[in-house]
Amino acid sequence: MKILILNGPNLNLLGKREPEIYGNQSFEDFFRKLKNQFHDHSLEYFQSNHEGVLIDKLHEVGFSYDGVVFNPGAYTHTSIALRDAIAGIGTSVFEVHISNLAEREDFRHVSYVKDVCVGSINGMGLEGYVVAVEFFTKN
């Protein structure tokens, strides 16, 4: 099974950025553990702070991969373009957020991508990525 982990803006700062919300571990360190946990599957990781680059990546893998685990970051609450990119591809996308969006600022309570994803999880920290990958490997 071929799965892309796709992270949006500011997630390159995990381990440094607001550790009280996002924890102390870098995503690169976490991803190494995730790959070991799912060693029978092909996991790839890509991160960008640019909306168009994320859209291009979804288009690139959206008809050949078995799944995309996507944390769109702040674009979750602003990007109809990302929503349309997800809706336009054949590969299923699972939305992940590290923090609990319901406990954050009001503007974070709306997800433009949720309705075009096969699942959505938030508030589980990095463990949410594990749940999303398991969704694809078990279905």
Side-chain angles (χ1 to χ4, degrees):
M1 180 153 282
K2 196 169 188 177
I3 300 169
L4 173 68
I5 311 296
L6 183 61
N7 276 343
N10 301 310
L11 291 163
N12 57 305
L13 297 178
L14 287 177
K16 300 174 189 169
R17 171 190 179 205
E18 301 173 282
E20 68 280 3
I21 296 173
Y22 299 105
N24 297 324
Q25 188 173 31
S26 74
F27 198 82
E28 290 75 12
D29 289 343
F30 171 74
F31 185 64
R32 279 191 286 280
K33 294 176 186 174
L34 191 66
K35 283 181 74 166
N36 286 336
Q37 183 174 349
F38 293 97
H39 57 85
D40 290 340
H41 303 282
S42 175
L43 299 184
E44 295 178 19
Y45 170 56
F46 185 83
Q47 186 277 330
S48 179
N49 294 317
H50 305 281
E51 182 179 31
V53 174
L54 295 168
I55 291 168
D56 289 344
K57 191 57 139 175
L58 286 166
H59 291 176
E60 177 188 323
V61 306
F63 297 94
S64 58
Y65 281 49
D66 299 301
V68 175
V69 175
F70 188 23
N71 184 339
Y75 288 136
T76 302
H77 324 291
T78 63
S79 182
I80 295 168
L82 278 171
R83 183 216 177 276
D84 290 349
I86 294 167
I89 62 175
T91 298
S92 296
V93 177
F94 197 108
E95 177 188 21
V96 172
H97 297 282
I98 296 167
S99 66
N100 184 341
L101 301 180
E103 294 178 353
R104 308 271 317 266
E105 304 91 341
D106 287 347
F107 65 86
R108 295 189 197 274
H109 297 181
V110 175
S111 170
Y112 282 109
V113 302
K114 186 175 186 174
D115 68 320
V116 292
C117 291
V118 294
S120 180
I121 192 162
N122 71 87
M124 290 188 64
L126 294 173
E127 198 62 27
Y129 290 89
V130 175
V131 171
V133 171
E134 284 177 344
F135 171 85
F136 287 118
T137 62
K138 293 181 178 180
N139 287 314

